[in-house]
Every structure is written in C-alpha cells, then in structure tokens.
Amino acid sequence: MAAEIHSRPQSRRPVLLSKIEGHQDAVSAALLIPKEDGVITAGEDRTIRVWLKRDSGQYWPSIYHTMASPCSAMAYHHDSRRIFVGQDNGAIMEFHISEDFNKMNFVKTYPAHQNRVSAITFCLASEWLISTGHDKYDHETQHAFVGDYSGQITLLKLEQNTCSVITTLKGHEGSITSLWWDPVQRLLFSGASDHSIIMWDIGGRKGRTLLLQGHHDKVQAICYIQLTRQLVSCSADGGIAVWNMDISREEAPQWLESDSCQKCEQPFFWNIKQMWDTKTIGLRQHHCRKCGQAVCGKCSTKRSSYPIMGFEFQVRVCDSCFESIKDEDRTSLATFHEGKHNISHMSMDISRGLMVTCGSDRIVKIWDMTPVVGCSLATGFSSR
C-alpha cells in the first residue's frame, strides 16, 4: 500500500461512487461512456463488456463479448459508436454499438501487430486507427508521440502514406508507461516505471521542463485537466496524485560531472591521480537535487522535500542548499490519495469530473474527482 504524504491536512479526497466486479482476470482498460451512465471494460479474461447503471444503483453487463485472445487495449469513439479492442495476439477488432447499448456488432479485424497491442488511438476526421506502444496523437498537426521501454519518447510526423521521425525526448530512467498530450499549451506529460512524471514543453521547443516525483511505484496513467491546470496521476500501488500546475515551478538542474567534490574538492574514487597526490581514499559521488552539483556524502548529509521543483519526497541536497530552503518551500504542491486497489489503467470524463480506474485485482472503480480538482462542473451520472 502506498504511503500518503501528510505535509498538510488532506480534507478533500476522491469520492468512490461505484465498484464493478465481474471480470475473471485483470481488467486492462475501462472507459466511461460520454453522456451515459455506463462503462466499457476489456480484460485479460478475453472479454469486452458494456456495463449500464440500473435503477437499483448497481452496474450490470448490457453486452458481453468473448474475444479470441486476452484484451490489452481499447479505444471508444462515442459519436460513431465504434469500439476498437487490441489483443495479446496483435490483432485489433472493431465493433459497432447500438444506440440503446444492448447490441454490439462485429465490423472488422485488423491484423496489426506480431505481439500484444498496448495502445490504440482513433481519429474520425482522417479515419486513422493508430496502434502501437503507449502513444498520444495530435489530430490537428498529425503528430504522434510514442514511448518505448528504453525510456525514450519519439515524435513522429504522420502523413497520408509516410511516417517520419521529427525528434526524440530523453529524460526517464525507466520504460514509458503513460503519455498525455495537451493541445492547447502544447505540453506533453509522460509517466514511467522510474516512478516519475516529466512535463515536456513541445510548443516552446524547450525540451524537458519539469520533473515530478511523488509516487512509490511506476506511474500507470496520467490526465491533465486544462480547466483547473491540474495533473492527475495513478500508480501501480494504488496511489492517486493531483498536482497543482497553475504555479511557477522551477526546473530541476542537470547533474554536473566532476572528478572531485564541488564543495570540499576531495577526489572521487575514480580520480586516481588526486588520490595518489593527496594520499587520500576516493569518495563516492552524489548529486544535490537542488543545484545539481557533484558532491560527496560528507557535504550532502541533509535530505529535504522541494515541491516547487517537483520533489514531494525528501531527496539528497547539499548542506548549503539545505540551509537555503525555507519551511514554506517544503509545503506540498500536490495532494495524495489511496485508491485502495492496483491501478493499471485510468481514464477521466473531465466534463463530469469523473474518473474510472481498473487493474489486476479485477475491480473497476468509478470516482467523483470534483472534491479534489475543484471543478465547478456538474457531477454524477444522469438518470436513465
């Protein structure tokens, strides 16, 4: 279970509205049906299900379809009522749902990949179905962002018959697990197995801008709410974080390299010459997270959180930087909550302030996020 950060009283929490149980294996994806009291789920048990809320307040499957292989990814386009389901065998199946959500017709199979499909994006305007690893697609500029297991993000330009690489983004130390694209500010948010989130300034072409560290496990899903300038992230240990992005934050410095401590000038253990000249034993190299300088352990004995730079946990800082950090600088700029189940996938209906989470525990949870993100939007599902 994830530990909560109690840097200030947590008075506003996500409100659990409903739990859906019925899958026989891990739930790979869950999507809220826009303008409806319903959820679409796809699971490792090879089923895709449409759940509708009944008068009793419980969710019951309206449609149940068994696939040939475990379901690994899903996309739904409400206006055209089309569902695309990716499978472990690399195939993508397209279905059409009736207006009353009581019938699902098979349309087509796309033999897309040689192995597990991990993400699907559908663009109705160009009739493009994009499937790959964890990706995001900008429909206006026809650019796609693709994250891979090395921690690298590749920016692609997609045209009618060609695909070209524009640039690559490097900053994570673990595989990319989730991406979110904000077309208004042209910001890309990436979550990874290194427990961190990076905000990339794509529009300003500045590369990496902010590093956010507040999760104890890999970041499985992220969603940026443009209206309130908040970022919602979920991790594998059930942690749910809401980051305040409507403030001026500081970019974490690049780590400096040196053969000796940049504070006391004692040599590091690979600096054979200085060790010989001074007849001393080399020290291990560390880095101050606030200034980025290469320092030894004796010059960085302190730990501190520094939320304005994205460090919600206590991290190593040099002694001089520790003295410069004021008590108010340690005030958290995010709220942390416990989802109380493994979260492998999350999606939000921002217009209603609703979030759905699912994971390997086979449970789907629907949350009211308005107490946390502060939306003044209508909440809850309409009555059927």
Side-chain angles (χ1 to χ4, degrees):
M1 180 179 294
E4 281 198 50
I5 297 176
H6 295 288
S7 55
R8 62 182 179 188
Q10 304 293 310
S11 59
R12 300 185 303 173
R13 299 178 179 274
V15 177
L16 180 61
L17 299 177
S18 298
K19 289 200 302 183
I20 299 175
E21 300 181 60
H23 280 278
Q24 302 303 310
D25 207 334
V27 183
S28 305
L31 302 173
L32 293 160
I33 302 175
K35 304 177 183 179
E36 297 289 340
D37 299 344
V39 180
I40 305 173
T41 61
E44 298 284 348
D45 58 3
R46 301 186 300 131
T47 65
I48 177 172
R49 310 178 188 218
V50 177
W51 309 78
L52 297 180
K53 189 176 183 180
R54 306 304 181 181
D55 293 338
S56 64
Q58 299 296 315
Y59 285 84
W60 292 94
S62 177
I63 306 172
Y64 180 107
H65 186 87
T66 302
M67 313 287 282
S69 179
C71 305
S72 55
M74 179 173 58
Y76 172 63
H77 190 270
H78 183 64
D79 292 340
S80 62
R81 297 189 183 277
R82 296 155 82 173
I83 298 178
F84 300 91
V85 183
Q87 302 174 80
D88 269 6
N89 62 11
I92 298 174
M93 297 184 70
E94 178 183 348
F95 298 90
H96 182 267
I97 295 184
S98 61
E99 291 190 10
D100 59 3
F101 293 95
N102 287 316
K103 189 175 182 181
M104 184 166 58
N105 296 317
F106 168 73
V107 177
K108 185 178 180 180
T109 297
Y110 302 85
H113 300 273
Q114 300 298 316
N115 211 321
R116 182 181 178 92
V117 179
S118 57
I120 305 172
T121 299
F122 175 65
C123 176
L124 181 64
S126 58
E127 285 290 328
W128 281 4
L129 179 65
I130 304 171
S131 61
T132 181
H134 297 278
D135 69 297
K136 283 296 170 184
Y137 177 64
D138 184 359
H139 304 287
E140 294 183 1
T141 63
Q142 296 185 340
H143 284 92
F145 299 92
V146 182
D148 60 32
Y149 283 100
S150 72
Q152 178 175 285
I153 302 171
T154 303
L155 172 57
L156 303 172
K157 173 64 175 179
L158 303 181
E159 297 176 318
Q160 193 62 36
N161 297 312
T162 62
C163 175
S164 57
V165 176
I166 302 300
T167 188
T168 57
L169 306 173
K170 299 180 181 180
H172 285 288
E173 297 179 357
S175 59
I176 306 299
T177 54
S178 54
L179 293 171
W180 184 271
W181 170 246
D182 174 34
V184 178
Q185 299 182 77
R186 297 194 177 280
L187 298 174
L188 177 70
F189 297 89
S190 60
S193 60
D194 60 7
H195 309 178
S196 70
I197 301 168
I198 294 179
M199 186 187 82
W200 309 84
D201 184 1
I202 303 300
R205 299 182 179 181
K206 296 178 181 178
R208 191 182 89 170
T209 55
L210 291 177
L211 174 67
L212 304 176
Q213 292 185 330
H215 285 289
H216 295 276
D217 207 333
K218 57 184 176 181
V219 181
Q220 297 278 52
I222 49 181
C223 175
Y224 178 65
I225 304 174
Q226 173 65 36
L227 179 64
T228 59
R229 301 290 198 276
Q230 289 173 302
L231 179 72
V232 180
S233 58
C234 298
S235 64
D237 60 8
I240 301 172
V242 181
W243 307 80
N244 180 9
M245 305 303 294
D246 194 27
I247 58 173
S248 178
R249 290 178 176 264
E250 294 180 14
E251 182 177 356
Q254 296 294 322
W255 286 2
L256 302 176
E257 296 299 330
S258 176
D259 290 331
S260 58
C261 176
Q262 294 180 301
K263 294 295 183 179
C264 68
E265 299 183 351
Q266 289 296 305
F268 293 129
F269 63 84
W270 61 81
N271 191 347
I272 305 298
K273 184 180 185 304
Q274 187 176 348
M275 285 193 295
W276 178 264
D277 293 340
T278 59
K279 301 298 187 294
T280 57
I281 298 176
L283 304 175
R284 182 183 175 186
Q285 177 182 263
H286 299 284
H287 284 93
C288 173
R289 271 42 173 193
K290 186 175 184 295
C291 68
Q293 287 190 318
V295 292
C296 67
K298 293 181 180 180
C299 294
S300 57
T301 61
K302 307 294 186 181
R303 301 290 187 276
S304 176
S305 61
Y306 196 52
I308 199 169
M309 199 174 278
F311 299 117
E312 292 287 342
F313 298 149
Q314 289 196 351
V315 293
R316 180 185 295 272
V317 293
C318 65
D319 292 352
S320 58
C321 281
F322 180 83
E323 296 299 327
S324 70
I325 299 175
K326 302 175 182 178
D327 289 341
E328 54 265 31
D329 294 333
R330 298 184 175 92
T331 301
S332 179
L333 297 177
T335 59
F336 297 86
H337 315 277
E338 177 55 70
K340 296 183 179 179
H341 78 139
N342 169 274
I343 299 177
S344 61
H345 182 268
M346 171 269 284
S347 64
M348 290 191 67
D349 184 338
I350 297 176
S351 65
R352 293 185 289 175
L354 297 175
M355 179 177 73
V356 60
T357 58
C358 62
S360 60
D361 58 2
R362 301 177 291 177
I363 297 175
V364 178
K365 293 186 177 183
I366 302 170
W367 306 85
D368 178 5
M369 293 296 291
T370 54
V372 184
V373 300
C375 291
S376 58
L377 304 172
T379 63
F381 289 142
S382 58
S383 301
R384 289 186 64 85

